[in-house]
Amino acid sequence: MDSSSRFSSPSSSINSARGIFCSQSLNLRSISAIGYDMDYTLVHYNVKAWEGRAYHYCMENLKKLGFPVDGLTFDPDLIIRGLVIDKEKGNLVKADQFGYIKRAMHGTKMLSTRAVREIYGIELVDLRLEGRWVFLSTFFSMSEAVAYMQMVDILDDGVIPANLGPFDYKGLYKAMGVALVAAHVEGRLKSDIMSNPEQYVELDPELPFTLLDQKEAGKKLVLITNSDYHYTDKMMHYSFNRFLPGEMGWRDLFDIIVVSANKPEFFQMSHPMYELVTNEGLMRPCFKAQIGGLYSGGSANMVESSLNIHGDEILFIGDHIYTDVNQSKVHLQWRTALICRELEEELKTVAATNMDNENLSQSMQKLLDVMQILDVKIAPMLEADGDLFNKRWGYLSRADLWDKSHLMRQIEKYADIYTSRVSNFLYYTPFMHFRSQEQNLAHDSHTNYCSRVDKFPSNGKLD
């Protein structure tokens, strides 16, 4: 891409909804290879359509088992990414960066602040307790969460037939999960999507040129996806080939392609690797990947060995905070980037509600003089500001008026950089040096106001 088409300067994009945000300094000049996830990373779906279809098949399977699900519909506004299911209590909760629960919903009904305090007190969300907590880390979690919360309402109403057996909230989650998994395993869902990709895939014309830009800059590109070859080929062909020059196809962008990767185990241990040798999916065992090859299974160590590139020379970009970002960093010390499409809407919402700096300073001084009035009148206004993003849960990045959300804490801890979509890289040079913001301590500031209003992000930036 011509440099004149990029942002005039990196700083001019920092407040943009299409900007790239830095948690830990990252110099792209030191990156020799860039790995990509596919689903919701290189291929973005219409969430309402894709998850709505998954929900449809889940409910269809539950109905066959005898659950009274007639009349239920998919409501994507019921949840946001980063929430946590409490399988013991049938609740959906939003936790802050420390794990304290700030908001909660039982079934499809939001709980009052007092009820949340009475139920959870100072209890912490501990994601290591997988028997209780389920973290909603991707868009693929939406159909699961909506179906479960609606099923909780049905259980509470006492209308589940006795012959299906007694259920507690944890058992109900298991039954719902089996029905949802069946919807995927049966193949009907992906068959629908492959047959009508235009209904489910949101095209991004800049995306193929982003990868071409990186390739021309000398970066090795690797695709690592859990999807099978036939689905991957269909989605990538539909999303990329129409925008690529000449006879170039999507496979020409990548030095190595790995399908059915079985992440996160792909980053943790070695599995047999197979080379796909025909378009019909015929495979043969192999022990080392070659440049230009197409493979199924294997491991990240095999990819490193084939490219002769290791550790922090590799940047991996994906949408799943655990499967893509956490595991590649923890086990391999790869550098990481998280794709979080919701940032675009959130940052636009923040910008639309911001006061300019001059008005803010004047207002702050007045509010400092009338603190008691501030607490009564302004706090509800600030709380309502987050409702513009989601009326139930507020901003994705915040758990309360001032606190970062549990998801935001994970992003800052494991993702070196994060952005709303891969094509945002097109607006930066492939040799960009992303520098994290200066981390000030509380006692560093000599003009530290006591007002809680001073902590509210008024400039559209995520902390």
Side-chain angles (χ1 to χ4, degrees), residues 56 64 230 277 287 302:
H56 167 78
K64 290 177 182 177
H230 292 295
V277 294
F287 301 97
M302 292 180 180

Side-chain angles (χ1 to χ4, degrees), residues 137-169:
S137 53
T138 75
F139 286 122
F140 286 131
S141 303
M142 294 192 71
S143 54
E144 169 189 10
V146 172
Y148 179 60
M149 303 320 292
Q150 291 176 339
M151 292 296 290
V152 167
D153 284 344
I154 292 175
L155 178 60
D156 289 345
D157 291 340
V159 295
I160 295 180
N163 65 297
L164 294 181
F167 282 103
D168 58 10
Y169 296 122

Side-chain angles (χ1 to χ4, degrees), residues 297-361:
S299 69
N301 287 328
M302 292 180 180
V303 171
E304 287 187 329
S305 177
S306 300
L307 295 174
N308 194 27
I309 300 171
H310 305 275
D312 61 6
E313 297 176 275
I314 302 174
L315 171 66
F316 191 73
I317 303 175
D319 73 297
H320 197 299
I321 189 66
Y322 176 76
T323 298
D324 295 324
V325 173
N326 172 285
Q327 292 299 285
S328 61
K329 176 175 284 292
V330 168
H331 292 282
L332 299 160
Q333 285 75 58
W334 289 6
R335 305 307 300 271
T336 53
L338 183 77
I339 300 302
C340 185
R341 183 61 71 100
E342 301 96 325
L343 281 174
E344 292 182 16
E345 182 181 351
E346 179 158 320
L347 289 173
K348 289 176 182 176
T349 302
V350 171
T353 58
N354 277 342
M355 304 167 66
D356 61 60
N357 289 336
E358 182 178 353
N359 288 339
L360 179 61
S361 298

Side-chain angles (χ1 to χ4, degrees), residues 146-206:
V146 172
Y148 179 60
M149 303 320 292
Q150 291 176 339
M151 292 296 290
V152 167
D153 284 344
I154 292 175
L155 178 60
D156 289 345
D157 291 340
V159 295
I160 295 180
N163 65 297
L164 294 181
F167 282 103
D168 58 10
Y169 296 122
K170 187 176 292 187
L172 187 69
Y173 178 83
K174 182 177 181 180
M176 182 278 307
V178 170
L180 187 59
V181 169
H184 289 271
V185 172
E186 291 164 358
R188 292 183 295 168
L189 178 59
K190 286 193 172 180
S191 178
D192 287 348
I193 296 166
M194 287 191 288
S195 298
N196 300 286
E198 64 279 357
Q199 295 183 18
Y200 297 96
V201 177
E202 295 185 358
L203 297 175
D204 184 347
E206 293 181 326

